[in-house]
């Protein structure tokens, strides 16, 4: 599925950008030409030059170095939230098909409750309660992402669990764990992969939004959202300043979403996969599935 | 054709209506009855009650609805306001204020000597009053007649007319505090005798005020309605004034060129504003005097002024700006930036580079300054972390002034009407900005000496500047730089008058 996805133009372009971003995330602090915290009071808000390719900010820090240094915090925080959402959503999603009505009812009600909570407000409340840190904020975001994973996983598992070959396996005495591992996971994994890629994009938007608001990170630590917030205060002096973090955020989110779409097409998943409110539509116009039947 | 007739009739009716309404509007303009509205983006006071207001900045908005006994002139000298004159006794232990005739509160009740007495007594006695310290200089109040009231003082104090030019002398209608229930309502429903009176108020959002015809100087108020709202984000102030959402707003120094380029007017007004670091020397490791002195030498004030305030203002090592009577020029070299000396002081205090850790507390809008200071401290081997306090909340007052949990707070004073009052706030034993809450007997004696020196005495400036020097040299807290007040206004608003201590709207006009 992955190979098929990256052979499409969309998949190839998306994966190229993601690989680039991952490299920047790993090597960014090494590649940064200056200390991202070093200030130069004699060169504040300077235009791009050979010394500072993207110019300097309001306290004379090199913008390129700050963007590079801000990548790990931005990307890894999004990945952390997605990992938490994955763990809290996929496992209960699978188990809800197998552990009987009580667990199914309870887990569905919890998921329903979490879906009603707004992301930013919940994250802000968590940081107020547990302290202003990205770990706390990402825990909150991860918790609220988990219903998306739960519903995607449960829908795929329900469809597969009612298949004849799964029933046949049960009739011949296969254990639930064996059925889960051998038959179900293979059917669930593509949908979960699509959801994960999409959630990464959405997670990055949330991380950027929180750091834009100054939540989760203490200055002067650089983050893409924080750099954007700082630059917006100096639009007159440096109108192009906000463009750099904005383009980075847009490119990265777009790449993850594009990759999710390519994965979905490669997996041949019909219907919609929704994570964090974004609906992915299949490009296969031949599908006969109704949105109501497959909307998860 | 028959279906078109009603349409034509409707159009004709609408046209006639439009003409009629237009005619009405035109006649309203012609008769000059359209109200003159000014929209001001600033901040709302922590309380509309001068007795419970908890920041000096509140005077700018509280003075919209309250008039004080006196008023400072642009140079900071007390002049007539509700009181048309005053006279001290021979030894400075009593001062008699003579009120203007026929004064009234905005609620229509008379503003006489009895009302002044009751209002000042409330400030002295109300349990949650934050004016108690300032008013403690008054031993008793004697009514001479309906227009004359004598304040008997605990000791000679020639600062009283200045003191009563601000919140301390803002007179509240006794009708407003006649009962406990009505008193509790003053913070959101003020009742004074200022240039405006309340029309509506939405906490944390805006207040609409209309001209008070009972104001003693109502003839100089040319604004019918003043819409006060919380200032927008600094980056959008210019757009707000350009689009007419606001007519007047405070402007960051970094935006002056942008505002002028946008065709707006910028007023740079001398003020008493001084940025300061509040050091709480009761919190370790700042209990060590060498550490505190090291921090004073480690901060490069000129760099802060240049980067954080676009170079607009002046470096100062005292809580007063250059040119003010209290400014002591001999302090110009005290604690000047000297990183080598800071390092040696830290070494003498037993700290190796990187060992000393402190927390910088700053309001979110001072983030730039905090980041700069953090970097400067790092250069002398101090590891500082930054704690930002959100804008618009009362967390600052709680954590810095009341709970005093901040070791190193980036603060600032807007000044006070009396220099002694300002010294008390910054260095006094109960001063809000003196988070250490301690003062030496020498400093208190110097303050007392200022109080008993008449303002027209040839010794006054020297005595006052001596108190400033003692305060600066002995206090843990230290000053950074003074800044003027910078306002942006629509070209339709006339220039704002230059008052050191507060916004005033008398004489301001708005063209339609």
């Amino acid at each position: 599925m992955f190979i098929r996805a990256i052979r499409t133009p969309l998949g190839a372009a998306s994966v190229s950008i993601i690989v680039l971003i991952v490299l920047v995330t790993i090597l960014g602090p090494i590649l940064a030409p200056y200390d991202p915290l070093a200030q130069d009071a004699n060169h504040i808000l300077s235009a791009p030059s050979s010394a500072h390719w993207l110019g300097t900010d309001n306290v004379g820090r090199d913008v390129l170095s700050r963007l590079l240094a801000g990548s790990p915090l931005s990307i890894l925080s999004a990945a952390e939230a997605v990992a938490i959402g994955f763990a809290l959503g996929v496992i209960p999603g699978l188990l809800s098909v197998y552990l009987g009505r009580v667990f199914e009812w309870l887990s569905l009600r919890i998921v329903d409750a979490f879906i009603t909570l707004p992301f930013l407000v919940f994250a802000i409340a968590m940081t107020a309660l547990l302290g202003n840190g990205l770990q706390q904020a990402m825990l909150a975001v991860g918790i609220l992402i988990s219903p998306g994973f739960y519903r995607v996983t449960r829908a795929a598992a329900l469809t597969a669990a009612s298949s004849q070959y799964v029933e046949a396996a049960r009739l011949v005495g296969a254990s639930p764990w064996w059925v889960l591992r051998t038959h179900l996971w293979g059917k669930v994994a593509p949908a979960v992969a699509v959801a994960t890629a999409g959630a990464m994009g959405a997670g990055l938007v949330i991380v950027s939004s929180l750091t834009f608001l100054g939540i989760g990170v203490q200055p002067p630590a650089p983050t893409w959202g924080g750099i954007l917030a700082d630059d917006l205060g100096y639009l007159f002096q440096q109108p192009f300043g906000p463009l750099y973090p904005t383009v980075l955020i847009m490119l990265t989110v777009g790449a993850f979403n594009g990759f999710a779409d390519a994965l979905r097409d490669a997996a041949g998943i019909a219907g919609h996969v929704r994570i964090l409110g974004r609906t992915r539509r299949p490009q296969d116009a031949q599908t006969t599935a109704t949105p109501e039947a497959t909307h998860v | 054709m028959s279906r078109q007739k009603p349409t034509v009739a409707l159009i004709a009716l609408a046209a006639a209506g439009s003409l009629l309404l237009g005619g009405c509007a035109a006649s309203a303009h012609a008769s000059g009855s359209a109200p003159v509205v000014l929209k001001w983006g600033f901040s709302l006071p922590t309380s509309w009650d001068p007795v419970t207001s908890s920041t000096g900045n509140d005077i700018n908005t509280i003075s919209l609805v309250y008039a004080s006994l006196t008023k400072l002139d642009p140079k900071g000298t007390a002049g007539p306001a509700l009181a048309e004159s005053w006279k001290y006794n021979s030894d400075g232990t009593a001062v008699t204020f003579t009120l203007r005739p026929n004064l009234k509160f905005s609620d229509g009740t008379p503003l006489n000597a009895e009302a002044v007495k009751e209002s000042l007594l409330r400030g002295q006695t109300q349990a949650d009053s934050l004016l108690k310290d300032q008013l403690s200089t008054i031993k008793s109040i004697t009514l001479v007649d309906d227009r004359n009231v004598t304040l008997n003082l605990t000791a000679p104090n020639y600062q009283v007319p200045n003191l009563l030019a601000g919140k301390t002398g803002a007179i509240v209608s006794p009708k407003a505090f006649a009962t406990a229930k009505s008193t509790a309502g003053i913070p959101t429903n003020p009742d004074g005798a200022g240039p405006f009176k309340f029309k509506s108020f939405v906490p944390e959002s805006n207040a609409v005020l209309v001209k008070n015809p009972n104001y003693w100087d109502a003839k100089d108020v040319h604004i019918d309605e003043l819409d006060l709202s919380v200032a927008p984000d600094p980056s959008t102030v210019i757009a707000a004034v350009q689009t007419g959402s606001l007519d007047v707003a405070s402007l960051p120094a970094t935006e002056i060129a942008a505002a002028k380029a946008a065709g707006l007017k910028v007023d740079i007004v001398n003020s008493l504003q001084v940025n300061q670091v509040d050091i709480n020397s009761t919190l370790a490791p700042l209990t060590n005097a060498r550490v505190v002195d090291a921090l004073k030498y480690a901060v490069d004030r000129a760099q802060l002024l240049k980067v954080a305030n676009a170079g607009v203002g002046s470096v100062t090592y005292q809580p007063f700006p250059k040119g003010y009577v209290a400014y002591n020029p001999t302090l110009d070299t005290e604690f000047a930036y000297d990183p080598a000396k800071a390092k040696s002081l830290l070494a003498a205090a037993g700290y190796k580079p990187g060992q000393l850790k402190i927390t910088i507390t700053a309001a979110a809008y001072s983030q730039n300054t905090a980041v700069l200071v953090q970097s400067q401290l790092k250069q002398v081997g101090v590891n500082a972390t930054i704690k930002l306090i959100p804008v618009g909340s009362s967390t600052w007052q709680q954590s810095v002034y009341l709970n005093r949990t901040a070791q190193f707070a980036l603060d600032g004073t807007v000044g006070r009407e009396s220099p002694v009052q300002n010294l008390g706030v910054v260095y006094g034993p109960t001063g809000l900005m003196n988070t250490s809450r301690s003062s030496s007997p020498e400093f208190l004696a110097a303050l007392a000496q200022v109080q008993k020196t008449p303002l027209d005495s040839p010794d006054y400036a020297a005595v006052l500047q001596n108190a400033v020097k003692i305060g600066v040299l002995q206090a843990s807290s230290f000053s950074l730089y003074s800044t003027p007040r910078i306002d942006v206004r629509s070209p339709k608003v006339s220039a704002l008058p230059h008052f050191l201590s507060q916004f005033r709207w008398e004489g301001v006009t708005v063209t339609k």
Side-chain angles (χ1 to χ4, degrees), chain A residues 35-60:
Chain A
D35 175 353
L37 305 183
Q39 302 164 4
D40 182 353
N42 295 318
H43 294 93
I44 57 173
L45 297 168
S46 63
S49 64
S50 56
H52 300 282
W53 290 2
L54 300 183
T56 59
D57 71 2
N58 56 310
V59 289

Side-chain angles (χ1 to χ4, degrees), chain A residues 54-96:
Chain A
L54 300 183
T56 59
D57 71 2
N58 56 310
V59 289
R61 296 172 296 201
D62 183 62
V63 172
L64 176 61
S65 301
R66 285 183 66 74
L67 285 172
L68 289 171
S71 305
L73 209 55
S74 303
I75 298 291
L76 292 178
S77 299
E80 182 186 341
V82 172
I84 293 169
F86 185 97
L88 295 179
V90 171
I91 297 167
L94 280 172
L95 295 179
S96 70

